[in-house]
Every structure is written in structure tokens, then in C-alpha cells.
Amino acid sequence: MGAVSARNVAIGFGDVSIIENLSIEIAEGEFIVLLGPSGCGKSTLLNAVAGLIDIQKGQVWIDGKNVTWAEPKDRGIGMVFQSYSLYPRMSVEQNLSFGLRIAGRPKAEIAARVAKASKMLQLDPLLKRKPAELSGGQRQRVAIGRALVRDSDVFLFDEPLSNLDAKLRSELRVEIKKLHQELGNTMIYVTHDQVEALTLADRIAVMKGGVIQQFATPHDIYHRPANLFVAGFIGSPAMNMIDGTLAQRAGKWMFDYAGGAVDMMRYPFVSKPVAGSAILGVRPEHIDVGAALPDRFATKGKVTIVEPMGGETVVWTEFSGKPFTIKVDGDSTVSLGDDIPFNFDVSRASAFDAASGQRL
Amino acid sequence: MSEAAVPQGTRPKTFDVGRLGVYAVLIVASLFFLIPLWVMLMTSFKTMAEIREGQILSWPSAFTAEAWPKAWLSACTGLTCDGVRVGFWNSVSILIPSVIASIALGALTGYAMTFYRVRGANLLFAILLIGAFIPYQVFIYPMVRVFSLIGIYNSLLGIVVVHVIFGLSLMTLLFRNYFSSLPVELFNAARVDGAGFFTILRHVILPMSAPIIIVATILQVTGIWNDFILGLTFAGRDYRPMTVLLNNIVNSTQGEAAYNVDTAATILTALVPLAVYFASGRWFVRGVAAGAVKG
């Protein structure tokens, strides 16, 4: 119940190809986030799963049935859109029950299902209002309720929180997560916001140019990005990228950069390392300022910019001739012009092949 | 002095020569357009003896309203003398089905073109637009032949069909443009909810379309009411619209032209569009803007 899969799907409009050949298998009850910059094809893929746009090649399966040619209403899905898309001339209650009413369901059943959804999302006081009389957050809750009423196995969310302000966004994010825990449906959620992706997802599919770059748990996406794109896209401030070459010396793999070398002994290579151009990525939050513990790579640099962000402070320095950011505690006393020692653990870093951009 | 010199609070209104010029031009322009109406109104309340004096702008010295019932009830159009009354009811019976049918059809085609990306929708739309720019007169002869062939020439159905066809391009344009401004996600949401082609149009799209339906109604009511040539050609003897009857009254006088009756009849004929203009106010301005491609 509720497994979704897209198999060798191609989507395009006229001559413009958005997705050339994409496959994804989503297990029942999973919360999947499709994450990527605008134009990466994530919404297109979601709409194809919903049946709102036709695919050119491949198949879409939902709940063990081939629904490639099925109408949206016959796919067993509920969908929430970015712009809420509530029917403006109908009250909240009518919005919730519209689908059931046109399907000709008995009145008692409609009332029961609306009441259940309304209770779950605390919409009871709003039932008689028109969408125009609701705030953004309330509107989106009604939109979620409309999908809920359909009692479908699969929920599709198309950037549902993008139109809300930061506070509401984090509130509703929690509500959506709770909803998933209560209902246990399969959920596919499109967003360009990495915080939403990391907090909500069981697995994240990071997309770029119609291709899934990495499909893994939030932990893996963050700590073991599969390629340079994923590494750069996730994390704020972005991962520090150091250009250099990988070479074997005295039986040890070393990463040589302009001005020094990093011992790669502790780095967990994915495959057997090969000498050549490489890029070493280190997250700003994995760097410590101060004296180094053994086994850690240590160096120092001059502070060029200090950006206090409240709970934490981003310190800019230079490494290998390029800007380098370090995240330190908000109470830290680092100030402009200081010469600071800093160090990081190579086992938490990410090394990429410079040519292919793939993780080493 | 000192308190006035400090800029603070609301900026004082200024009235200078430039503004005076603007008002002067506006007043002259409105007089220019109001004078014909004034002349018509005054003439309709005068006796023929007074009209003969030629003072068209003057207030009637012996105010009389007797031209009005005459125009409505007994002015002669050729052989019959029933006034413009018959034409009024003819126009109403042409107007109502024509307006309803042309708006319904325009909404349907505009909706299909906007939300159901029909293959070649843009080409169809371009052809329809070209249709809006071809003068009526070109179509009249072929349409008369076709209509008489299928037996609806000189009938109420015939004239209604003609109005619907000629209104279709403008109505489609109007509705298509309006529907394009509605979020497509709303349409998608309704599809996910299981609504079909007509259900979405009826329950989701049309309830949001009040502004454009009003605009379309204004354009069609005034356009169809003011039509002369189509009514003359297609309506036949039994359904001659008011404009045609008015023309017959004015042009078929025996002896002296009864200017007071003619002007009264003209004002009576113009009353419907005039009422629409006054009642619709801002909607009409929108309609003019929306229909800007076709004056």
C-alpha cells in the first residue's frame, strides 16, 4: 500500500527535455524529499507522479499498479500545492468536501471524513470561513486537510511552505512531520529548502538537471555527499573546497595543496584511491579553533571577516590561498585580524575527483 | 511665516495655471460631447412650430412631452404605425439569447484553450483573432446563402446564431486572457480532487469569473443592441431590431419631418446602452480596456 516508483521516465515539453531517463523506487510509508535548485525537474517529476503532466517514456507505478495513463483522481494520491490553491468561492468545509461531493459519496461519510481531517489539523473554528479570510498558515493547513480527506495512500507536496514566513514555516514543518508519524502514508515532498529536506525526510533525492545526484538518508547526504554538486548544495555556509592533488608517498596517501599537505590515512575512501587532481571538502562546522588533538590536521590563518549569527559565528580566514569559513560558537572571542590556529578531522571530510566531481 | 515655511505633515495642495488648463480642456471636451444629447433632449420636448424657428440649443418655450408616446406607440415605419415599441421587444428577444449563448460559448472555448492545452490551441486562437479583424460586410453575402440553405435565414434563430458567431472571437479572447491570469494549480487541485472538464468549469472556474462575465455582458449587450446591419440583413420582417425600426421611422416620413418624434425615438433606442453605461461604471472602463483590440 503506497509504494511509488518511476521507471525510466522521460518528461519534456515539445522539444525541451526536462528529465531524460529517471528511475526512483519509494517504499511504502517513506517520507521522500525531492531537493534541488529551481529548474532541476523536481516539481516536474512530482507532477508526473500526480498525473498532471504526461510523461514521454517509462512508467509510473503507485501501490503496485501501473498508473502511467491513469487520471490524477484514479491514482490514489492527495496533493498540496505551493500557492494553496483553495477554491476561493467555497468555504473551508466545502473546500475539504469538494472531491467527495463530486464523487457522490453519502453525506454521512463526507461529514465524518471532513470532521476527522478538521480535528487533526485544528480547523474546526475555521470551517465556515472563506479562504480569503484565512492567514497563509491556515490556508496551507486547509490545503493539507483537503488532501487528507481523500484518504489516499500517497501524499504529494509541491513546495507547500515556500509562501509562508520563517516562523510559520517551522511550525507547519513540525505539523507535517507529526502528520506523517500519525498516518504513516507515503509522502513525496518537493522543496528547494535544505532545512526542510533534512528535517523531514527519511531519504532525500538531490536533483540537478533532471538527474538524481544522490538518493540517501539526510545523514548520508550531509556527511557523505556523493559528488561536488551535492556537497556544495547542502550546508550553509557552504562546504570549504580545497583544490589539490592526491599522491601516494611512503605508502601513505597525501593530499597536496598550495602550501602544504594533508595526511589522508584516516579518510574512508569509497574505492581504491588513484593519484591525480582532487578536491578536499571540509564543512565549516567540522573545524575547531584552537590547539589540535592528535590525528587531526592542524594549520592556522588570519581572520578576514567575522559574521556573528546569534547562536554561532562564522569566521572567514584563508587556506591554500582561498577564502575558508569556520563555524564557531556564538560566544567565541575571535576578532578581526587575529591569527588563529584551527584543525579538522580528515575522517569527516569529503574528497572528490576534480574531473568527474565524484566522491573518492 | 516661520510656521508655514517648515515642511511638516500633509503637503499643501497647489492650484496653478497648468491645472487650470487641464480643467478648461476637460470642461470644453465634456460640453462638446454633451451638446448633441442636449439638442436631442430639447428637440424632443418642443412643438414642431418651435422647432421650425431653428433655435436648436434653446430651452422649449412650450414644454410638451407628446412626441414621446407618439414615438413609442404610433410613429410610422412605412405602412404600419406602431412606433418603436415593436422594435424594442424584438431587440430584447434577440439580445437575451444572443448574450447568454455567446458568453457561454466564449467561456467554454477560452477555458478549453487555457487549461486543456489542445493541440494547436495557439494556431486556433490566432485564427479566431484574425476573425475579429475581418469586416462583417465580407461575410454577409455568403452567410445569407448558407442560412437560407439550412432554412434559418430571416428568423430569430438566424440572427442569434449570427450574433454568437460574430461575438465568439472577442468573447474567447476576453475569457482566455482572464483565465490565463488564474493559477493553473487551482485547476490541477480540482483534477486531483476528481473533477472533470465541465465540473471544473462550473464549480471552480466560473465562480471566480464574475468580473469578466460582467465585462463580457456589458460588451455584448451594448454591441448587440446597437447592431444595425446584421439585424437588417438576418432578422427578417418579424424580428427587425429597434435600430432598424428607428431608421425606418426617421427615413419614411410623409410630408414634414417630425423632428421631435424622431429625437424621442432615438433617445428611446439609445436608452438600453445608456443605462448599461451608467449602471456598470468602473466595469465598463475595464471592458473597454479588455476589448481594446476591438473598439
Side-chain angles (χ1 to χ4, degrees):
Chain A
M1 230 180 75
V4 176
S5 74
R7 301 177 186 169
N8 303 101
V9 164
I11 309 169
F13 299 107
D15 296 333
V16 187
S17 172
I18 311 235
I19 290 173
E20 271 175 19
N21 183 355
L22 183 147
S23 297
I24 188 169
E25 293 287 332
I26 296 165
E28 182 193 331
E30 248 189 324
F31 199 125
I32 295 301
V33 171
L34 304 177
L35 177 69
S38 46
C40 72
K42 55 191 193 296
S43 281
T44 308
L45 177 61
L46 191 79
N47 279 300
V49 171
L52 294 171
I53 49 179
D54 288 334
I55 60 174
Q56 293 171 331
K57 284 181 203 152
Q59 299 177 339
V60 176
W61 289 69
I62 294 176
D63 200 4
K65 285 194 289 284
N66 185 341
V67 294
T68 313
W69 292 343
E71 278 295 302
K73 67 178 163 79
D74 301 324
R75 295 188 176 205
I77 53 161
M79 190 157 177
V80 179
F81 299 86
Q82 178 181 353
S83 61
Y84 324 125
S85 334
L86 300 177
Y87 312 124
R89 309 294 298 170
M90 298 184 199
S91 69
V92 168
E93 189 171 14
Q94 288 166 329
N95 262 284
L96 293 175
S97 62
F98 180 67
L100 300 176
R101 280 186 285 132
I102 56 176
R105 295 302 179 90
K107 276 212 172 71
E109 184 197 338
I110 296 177
R113 275 159 76 168
V114 168
K116 190 176 153 210
S118 146
K119 188 159 173 275
M120 250 178 150
L121 293 159
Q122 296 122 46
L123 295 173
D124 287 335
L126 310 176
L127 282 178
K128 296 292 170 213
R129 293 204 207 163
K130 289 271 170 67
E133 299 158 351
L134 304 176
S135 69
Q138 290 169 331
R139 280 181 214 183
Q140 201 53 290
R141 288 223 307 273
V142 175
I144 294 171
R146 193 171 57 184
L148 210 62
V149 164
R150 290 180 55 74
D151 242 347
S152 39
D153 303 327
V154 180
F155 270 40
L156 307 177
F157 293 90
D158 192 0
E159 309 212 20
L161 307 183
S162 300
N163 283 2
L164 304 176
D165 62 51
K167 186 165 172 283
L168 270 173
R169 209 179 305 161
S170 55
E171 279 174 22
L172 259 157
R173 208 170 62 207
V174 176
E175 274 193 54
I176 291 174
K177 186 149 194 162
K178 258 199 250 164
L179 205 64
H180 179 242
Q181 285 163 1
E182 275 174 50
L183 299 172
N185 313 36
T186 309
M187 293 193 175
I188 308 178
Y189 188 106
V190 164
T191 184
H192 59 257
D193 182 322
Q194 44 173 303
V195 180
E196 274 171 34
L198 293 167
T199 50
L200 289 172
D202 292 326
R203 281 195 292 168
I204 300 174
V206 181
M207 292 180 68
K208 181 198 165 197
V211 177
I212 294 179
Q213 304 290 318
Q214 187 172 6
F215 186 32
T217 62
H219 185 271
D220 276 1
I221 295 270
Y222 185 81
H223 292 273
R224 277 187 286 281
N227 58 35
L228 272 175
F229 173 77
V230 176
F233 189 75
I234 303 278
S236 170
M239 186 184 267
N240 294 297
M241 301 291 184
I242 309 159
D243 295 320
T245 49
L246 211 53
Q248 201 171 17
R249 278 200 299 275
K252 283 209 299 191
W253 283 97
M254 301 293 286
F255 178 79
D256 297 315
Y257 62 93
V262 181
D263 184 349
M264 298 294 278
M265 271 306 281
R266 284 168 49 77
Y267 180 77
F269 281 101
V270 187
S271 53
K272 203 168 167 307
V274 203
S277 289
I279 292 166
L280 186 66
V282 188
R283 293 219 175 269
E285 47 274 41
H286 291 164
I287 304 165
D288 290 339
V289 172
L293 293 160
D295 287 345
R296 288 173 78 97
F297 171 80
T299 181
K300 55 185 174 181
K302 201 178 178 74
V303 176
T304 55
I305 297 173
V306 178
E307 283 185 299
M309 304 180 113
E312 59 218 16
T313 298
V314 177
V315 175
W316 291 69
T317 173
E318 278 195 355
F319 184 83
S320 182
K322 278 174 52 178
F324 194 83
T325 53
I326 304 169
K327 220 183 227 181
V328 298
D329 191 85
D331 273 336
S332 149
T333 53
V334 175
S335 53
L336 202 63
D338 284 356
D339 244 333
I340 50 164
F342 57 88
N343 61 81
F344 58 84
D345 184 350
V346 175
S347 70
R348 296 182 81 181
S350 298
F352 303 98
D353 182 85
S356 69
Q358 294 302 310
R359 185 181 186 86
L360 293 172
Chain B
M1 276 303 284
S2 60
E3 47 208 313
V6 183
Q8 166 176 308
T10 315
R11 192 163 138 181
K13 297 259 188 304
T14 51
F15 192 85
D16 54 18
V17 184
R19 189 155 286 241
L20 197 70
V22 170
Y23 279 111
V25 168
L26 288 177
I27 289 165
V28 169
S30 37
L31 280 181
F32 179 81
F33 287 107
L34 277 173
I35 282 176
L37 181 64
W38 174 260
V39 171
M40 296 279 289
L41 264 176
M42 290 308 107
T43 307
S44 72
F45 289 113
K46 285 172 182 173
T47 59
M48 277 312 293
E50 196 184 349
I51 292 169
R52 264 180 242 118
E53 289 166 19
Q55 302 292 323
I56 58 168
L57 285 173
S58 67
W59 187 259
S61 56
F63 186 91
T64 168
E66 74 187 11
W68 288 81
K70 216 167 160 189
W72 180 247
L73 295 170
S74 63
C76 293
T77 61
L79 294 175
T80 54
C81 290
D82 295 326
V84 286
R85 178 185 44 168
V86 187
F88 177 83
W89 292 114
N90 286 348
S91 278
V92 169
S93 34
I94 293 170
L95 186 74
I96 291 172
S98 303
V99 168
I100 292 173
S102 63
I103 289 177
L105 200 60
L108 192 65
T109 48
Y111 166 69
M113 281 186 178
T114 316
F115 292 110
Y116 285 82
R117 305 179 171 274
V118 192
R119 191 179 290 266
N122 285 334
L123 184 69
L124 277 174
F125 188 58
I127 293 171
L128 213 54
L129 267 190
I130 293 171
F133 291 103
I134 298 178
Y136 286 173
Q137 291 80 343
V138 175
F139 292 105
I140 289 181
Y141 179 69
M143 280 186 82
V144 167
R145 295 306 306 246
V146 171
F147 276 33
S148 59
L149 194 71
I150 57 176
I152 57 170
Y153 181 54
N154 278 350
S155 70
L156 181 61
L157 178 64
I159 180 69
V160 169
V161 168
V162 167
H163 279 306
V164 171
I165 290 173
F166 282 117
L168 187 60
S169 51
L170 180 63
M171 288 299 108
T172 306
L173 171 74
L174 220 56
F175 278 99
R176 194 190 103 118
N177 287 354
Y178 181 77
F179 290 157
S180 316
S181 71
L182 299 179
V184 69
E185 285 190 342
L186 207 56
F187 170 77
N188 284 340
R191 277 182 74 193
V192 172
D193 262 344
F197 183 90
F198 287 104
T199 316
I200 298 178
L201 179 63
R202 208 180 87 91
H203 291 281
V204 180
I205 304 294
L206 283 186
M208 299 169 67
S209 306
I212 203 67
I213 292 174
I214 294 172
V215 167
T217 309
I218 293 166
L219 286 175
Q220 286 301 82
V221 167
T222 53
I224 293 172
W225 191 271
N226 286 335
D227 156 68
F228 176 77
I229 187 165
L230 298 178
L232 182 66
T233 318
F234 291 95
R237 291 193 57 82
D238 296 339
Y239 284 99
R240 273 181 304 195
M242 203 170 184
T243 46
V244 173
L245 256 86
L246 172 67
N247 175 65
N248 292 353
I249 288 172
V250 174
N251 285 338
S252 65
T253 344
Q254 286 142 347
E256 183 187 42
Y259 290 116
N260 49 0
V261 176
D262 292 352
T263 51
T266 308
I267 295 170
L268 283 173
T269 307
L271 227 45
V272 167
L274 216 56
V276 170
Y277 294 148
F278 277 115
S280 55
R282 68 194 171 102
W283 294 109
F284 182 71
V285 177
R286 271 207 216 179
V288 171
V293 283
K294 199 189 180 199

